[in-house]
Amino acid sequence: MPPQNILNADLHCHSVVSDGTLTPEMLAERAKTNGVELWALTDHDEMGGQHRAAAAAKAQGLPYLTGTEISVTFANETVHIVGLGFDPDDAEMQQGLRNTRSGREQRAMQMAESLAKAGIQGSFEGALKFVGNPELISRTHFARFLVESGVCRDTSEVFRKYLTEGKPGYVPHRWAALRDAVTWITNAHGIAVIAHPGRYKFTANEEYALFTEFKAHGGQAVEVVTGSHTKQEFVKYAETAKEFGLAASRGSDFHSPDESHTDLGALSFLMGDLTPVWELLAGRIQ
């Protein structure tokens, strides 16, 4: 048997159920075609695509883990916690995610008001064209509207000029608490994972506090290899995983063929001295 670390697992991606552009079925097919050997769909604050994704993966002969990506507020920063291998019908987790989603529509209206003051009209209605459920409207949907309407060339330019702190369209949001997100996942028999830690603008002390509290609440893993990490960050967070006794996860954070710079299945493998999170979830793979 080959080492578990060289398994081509992709445990972080998004469908049209949140802010991706492909259906769960299309993602399952793309993952299989791209050589993914273990897959999870991790839509933002939502489990509505899980049964579709599991069925599509089964039809492709692709091993599957349930997934979601929960938005939390920590040290005044939005942090994402991926849940893997949980029961998607768990009532406590469903209610927690429903509560987390509830503030998105009001926040989106405030974002549209801010953009209108900068001379960009109709952004709320424009963003809604890219999302089926107003509960899940996000900055990504606004970004797609700004590209479609010719305000920006691509979504990268959008986030340089708009929707980020200090720029037009930025509205902060208080999400779930770290303790709550980890508890929902673990009580539903899953494992909590800190997503793409290299993206957060924390000081060294704040990052240490994040990992310390995450571990204290029952978190068990961190994304070491992910689409937004550099090779240097692969190494840094491999060391962090070992320092805190966490398993390592791997996921592209794929959203769209036209927007994502890392495709499903295209990541580097985990380092050999790490414990892959899927070893802890062997009994939950479908």
Side-chain angles (χ1 to χ4, degrees), residues 45 47 68 70 86-101 176-190 217:
D45 305 313
M47 300 186 291
T68 190
I70 304 177
F86 52 80
D87 174 6
D89 298 315
D90 181 83
E92 178 191 11
M93 190 166 174
Q94 287 181 340
Q95 184 59 51
L97 294 183
R98 196 173 298 120
N99 293 342
T100 301
R101 293 195 301 270
L178 178 64
R179 177 196 295 271
D180 291 339
V182 175
T183 299
W184 298 335
I185 294 164
T186 54
N187 284 356
H189 312 295
H217 296 324

Side-chain angles (χ1 to χ4, degrees), residues 24-69:
E25 293 79 9
M26 293 165 72
L27 286 169
E29 182 178 1
R30 190 180 188 94
K32 180 68 173 181
T33 299
N34 289 4
V36 173
E37 297 168 296
L38 175 63
W39 176 54
L41 173 65
T42 57
D43 281 314
H44 290 284
D45 305 313
E46 177 61 85
M47 300 186 291
Q50 288 306 303
H51 291 298
R52 287 173 63 185
K58 184 175 182 180
Q60 295 285 340
L62 176 62
Y64 185 73
L65 280 168
T66 55
T68 190
E69 185 175 18

Side-chain angles (χ1 to χ4, degrees), residues 97-238:
L97 294 183
R98 196 173 298 120
N99 293 342
T100 301
R101 293 195 301 270
S102 65
R104 282 184 179 265
E105 187 171 9
Q106 183 176 356
R107 178 193 185 217
M109 290 178 178
Q110 293 172 337
M111 290 166 64
E113 289 173 8
S114 177
L115 288 169
K117 291 175 183 176
I120 301 169
Q121 306 298 325
S123 64
F124 181 75
E125 294 76 13
L128 276 181
K129 291 193 302 183
F130 295 95
V131 59
N133 182 355
E135 282 190 346
L136 291 169
I137 192 168
S138 71
R139 292 187 306 163
T140 302
H141 301 116
F142 278 88
R144 289 175 186 149
F145 165 72
L146 292 177
V147 172
E148 181 197 55
S149 57
V151 175
C152 294
R153 290 187 302 275
D154 54 37
T155 54
S156 296
E157 183 182 352
V158 172
F159 287 110
R160 287 198 304 274
K161 295 182 176 179
Y162 303 95
L163 309 180
T164 53
E165 191 168 4
K167 305 290 185 181
Y170 175 75
V171 177
H173 185 84
R174 290 207 63 82
W175 304 107
L178 178 64
R179 177 196 295 271
D180 291 339
V182 175
T183 299
W184 298 335
I185 294 164
T186 54
N187 284 356
H189 312 295
I191 283 180
V193 184
I194 296 177
H196 42 60
R199 280 178 43 181
Y200 310 127
K201 298 177 177 65
F202 286 139
T203 65
N205 285 343
E206 288 169 338
E207 184 176 80
Y208 186 86
L210 170 66
F211 278 88
T212 300
E213 290 193 30
F214 174 76
K215 183 78 183 286
H217 296 324
Q220 293 181 258
V222 58
E223 274 185 358
V224 172
V225 176
T226 185
S228 57
H229 279 183
T230 64
K231 290 182 180 179
Q232 291 79 10
E233 286 170 332
F234 294 167
V235 174
K236 174 183 177 179
Y237 291 106

